[in-house]
Amino acid sequence: MEERLAYHSSFVTVRTPAIDTLTTGVRTLVILGCHQQATARPSLIVTGPAAAGKTTALLHVGHACHLAHTQQHPPATTTHAPVPVAYVLVPPGATAKALAAEFARYPGIPVTARMPQAQITDAVCHTYNKVGVRLVLIDEIHRLNPRTTTGAETTDLLKDLTERIKATLVHAGIDVTTTALFSGVRGAQLAGRASLVECGAFPARLGKHEPFRELIAGVEAALDLRAHRAGTLPRHAAYLHQRTAGRIGNLTRLIRQAAITSILDRHRTHHQDVPWTRSAWTTSPKPTTAPPRTSPAHPAGSPLPFFSVLQSSRRL
């Protein structure tokens, strides 16, 4: 049981058009920037609403890049393994020094409070180039505001890093095209050097296709539930689209929670001494918009079907 719980907790990454587009774009820009010596390298910006799968796409591409690089260039020794990919999270209200410290944190560069920003930046650029970083993933980029003095200095630091680090930068943020990040001279420079990759909500229908139903089928295929019947979730695509607003993050979180609850519920049925019950994990009432059940009634004490657990889970 523990292995199945761990599997549904981490789960798998479902390939989406945004991930395919980002993968192709990153591969192209990494090759393009390998031999570029002057000026800032072109970058990518992943944008879209919250829970649209931006960070998931970012990490998936970073993992794929790391695997591809290590396969092509296996480390000669374990003590000096290359670091082809770095991940940086922009802190709220980040100053230029704080962001430089975040860049330093990933490879483990020691930073003290008394170190000036220029010294930290020099150490970051030297270390990133020395260990062979080829791709830098920068998440939560929408937290930067170039209209403020602090935000302008932080944005200038990013521009400086793109020129000094021999790597491709990929940014991700919530609806960055509508934020101050693209305003003014600095915003124009960023927009001119970056290509946009949209991670939006999946429409219920697009011409003759049903993108959200296809997404549900992909997520369902990855489930590891013994009593679940394949094809159950796609039949309720309309309900799930209304419940999740068509966003992959909401959908996968909802299904993962229901899967874990189902496993615990079935285990409790056969092992009455387990303290976890379905009511302890799902306290919200069933939504009134839920479609009628198509599965037969179950006797008291038996585990509920997976979709029934999903309906009764906490609303997003």
Side-chain angles (χ1 to χ4, degrees):
M1 183 187 77
E2 294 299 330
E3 291 182 356
R4 295 168 66 225
L5 288 174
Y7 168 77
H8 288 97
S9 177
S10 57
F11 211 46
V12 298
T13 299
V14 179
R15 291 295 295 261
T16 63
I19 288 181
D20 291 336
T21 301
L22 184 59
T23 301
T24 302
V26 167
R27 184 187 301 118
T28 302
L29 292 186
V30 168
I31 296 173
L32 184 64
C34 278
H35 306 288
Q36 185 171 332
Q37 301 297 328
T39 72
R41 290 165 176 77
S43 60
L44 284 170
I45 296 180
V46 185
T47 182
K54 298 180 298 299
T55 299
T56 299
L58 207 65
L59 297 178
H60 175 82
V61 172
H63 182 64
C65 179
H66 177 84
L67 290 179
H69 188 276
T70 51
Q71 288 175 0
Q72 295 174 5
H73 308 89
T77 63
T78 57
T79 55
H80 296 88
V83 184
V85 182
Y87 177 80
V88 178
L89 185 67
V90 178
T95 62
K97 182 177 179 179
L99 184 58
E102 288 297 318
F103 270 83
R105 186 193 308 275
Y106 187 85
I109 302 172
V111 174
T112 64
R114 295 184 177 182
M115 291 177 62
Q117 176 201 325
Q119 184 179 354
I120 300 174
T121 303
D122 289 342
V124 165
C125 295
H126 172 76
T127 303
Y128 274 52
N129 291 330
K130 182 178 180 180
V131 300
V133 174
R134 292 293 175 262
L135 180 65
V136 181
L137 310 175
I138 306 175
D139 208 356
E140 304 290 346
I141 195 68
H142 59 271
R143 291 175 173 173
L144 298 181
N145 183 4
R147 293 177 180 175
T148 65
T149 302
T150 300
E153 294 173 351
T154 310
T155 306
D156 287 342
L157 171 65
L158 277 182
K159 179 177 177 295
D160 185 31
L161 292 176
T162 61
E163 296 175 347
R164 298 178 60 184
I165 297 177
K166 300 176 182 179
T168 297
L169 272 63
V170 180
H171 313 80
I174 299 176
D175 297 330
V176 295
T177 56
T178 62
T179 66
L181 192 62
F182 272 26
S183 64
V185 176
R186 291 179 176 86
Q189 286 181 330
L190 179 62
R193 292 172 174 170
S195 302
L196 286 178
V197 176
E198 293 280 350
C199 277
F202 283 73
R205 182 175 295 276
L206 187 62
K208 296 182 179 180
H209 298 283
E210 297 180 80
F212 191 70
R213 184 185 297 272
E214 296 170 0
L215 174 64
I216 294 173
V219 175
E220 185 186 59
L223 290 172
D224 183 18
L225 299 175
R226 297 171 182 172
H228 179 67
R229 294 181 180 179
T232 301
L233 297 185
R235 289 199 299 271
H236 299 285
Y239 164 72
L240 290 172
H241 192 273
Q242 180 271 331
R243 179 84 181 266
T244 64
R247 300 180 182 181
I248 186 173
N250 292 344
L251 176 69
T252 54
R253 182 170 62 252
L254 178 67
I255 291 178
R256 286 163 54 207
Q257 289 174 344
I260 291 173
T261 301
S262 296
I263 295 172
L264 293 174
D265 191 23
R266 181 165 293 275
H267 190 75
R268 176 190 58 84
T269 302
H270 300 290
H271 304 273
Q272 295 297 331
D273 57 335
V274 175
W276 297 315
T277 63
R278 187 172 65 84
S279 59
W281 289 79
T282 56
T283 56
S284 297
K286 296 178 182 178
T288 56
T289 56
R293 289 186 185 178
T294 56
S295 54
H298 284 243
S302 65
L304 290 175
F306 173 67
F307 184 71
S308 299
V309 176
L310 185 147
Q311 286 178 275
S312 64
S313 62
R314 185 180 299 275
R315 298 201 43 109
L316 297 173

